[in-house]
Amino acid sequence: MRQQPELSGEALDSDEMESRSLTIARLLSQIFNPVFVTIVAYILVGFHILHESGLAWAGGIIAVQTVPSLLYYLVRLRQGGFSDADVSVRHERNELYLFGIVSVLLTIGLLLTFGAPRPFLALTVGMLGIGVICGLINLTWKISMHGAAIGALATLALMYSNILGIVCWVCAAAVAWARVRTRNHTPGQVVAGLAVAALVIAIAFLTLA
């Protein structure tokens, strides 16, 4: 009976490191899920305009815009509408972009109707721009929404605090590595998501906030 070759200690260590890095990458992807990152972005704005009932506005926006999108994703995942929890198949993401864009448009309408503080309007219009641009790109190329979400938060944070902004951009680099390590995206797709979000959020705040 032929014996299986024994793996060297070096090979075993290498396999263990590979497995550990993949576990870390998956954990980072879960922690920095676009929905959670978006919630943090609205809370961050709320904290910086406490005198205008900022946290109450943030809670209302999250309830109208983010929670329905999360519930839609969970229902469709349970129905088998997506191949996996990461929605790895590009064309399966189209319905998420469409639902998200509709919920953001509804939110913008409510913000204008009830006279929301300008930073919230700027952030939400920025989210609309990111959704539309990334949604169109996704028709032919799987741009990273993880990258776009953390890029938006990091750009926003940098406007309020240099230290917080730097921390968020370090997190963005970690998320970029994680999405490539899990093979959900190429480096170019992650960088594109970061760049689109940073540009759109900067323009939205410079013109609307």
Side-chain angles (χ1 to χ4, degrees), residues 3 5 10 28 66-67 76 118 128 153 161 164 169 198 200 202:
Q3 286 187 333
E10 252 181 51
L28 285 171
T66 311
V67 172
R76 291 291 292 132
R118 301 291 290 183
L128 175 62
L153 175 61
S161 165
L164 183 59
W169 275 111
V200 171

Side-chain angles (χ1 to χ4, degrees), residues 75-198:
V75 169
R76 291 291 292 132
L77 182 64
R78 186 180 180 85
Q79 291 174 340
F82 307 133
S83 56
D84 54 42
D86 279 328
V87 196
S88 299
V89 179
R90 177 179 53 78
H91 69 80
E92 292 178 354
R93 298 182 170 207
N94 292 336
E95 63 183 272
L96 291 176
Y97 279 110
L98 183 59
F99 189 93
I101 288 170
V102 171
S103 68
V104 173
L105 283 170
L106 173 62
T107 304
I108 290 173
L110 292 173
L111 294 179
L112 290 171
T113 300
F114 293 102
R118 301 291 290 183
F120 282 120
L121 180 62
L123 178 55
T124 308
V125 169
M127 292 298 180
L128 175 62
I130 292 169
V132 170
I133 293 171
C134 289
L136 290 173
I137 292 173
N138 187 72
L139 294 175
T140 56
W141 193 57
K142 196 174 76 170
I143 191 169
S144 173
M145 272 310 293
H146 272 78
I150 192 64
L153 175 61
T155 303
L156 176 65
L158 195 59
M159 293 178 185
Y160 288 122
S161 165
N162 289 337
I163 294 175
L164 183 59
I166 290 170
V167 169
C168 286
W169 275 111
V170 170
C171 290
V175 172
W177 166 81
R179 300 309 287 166
V180 174
R181 176 65 186 86
T182 57
R183 298 183 179 179
N184 283 283
H185 293 286
T186 64
Q189 290 168 343
V190 179
V191 171
L194 290 167
V196 167

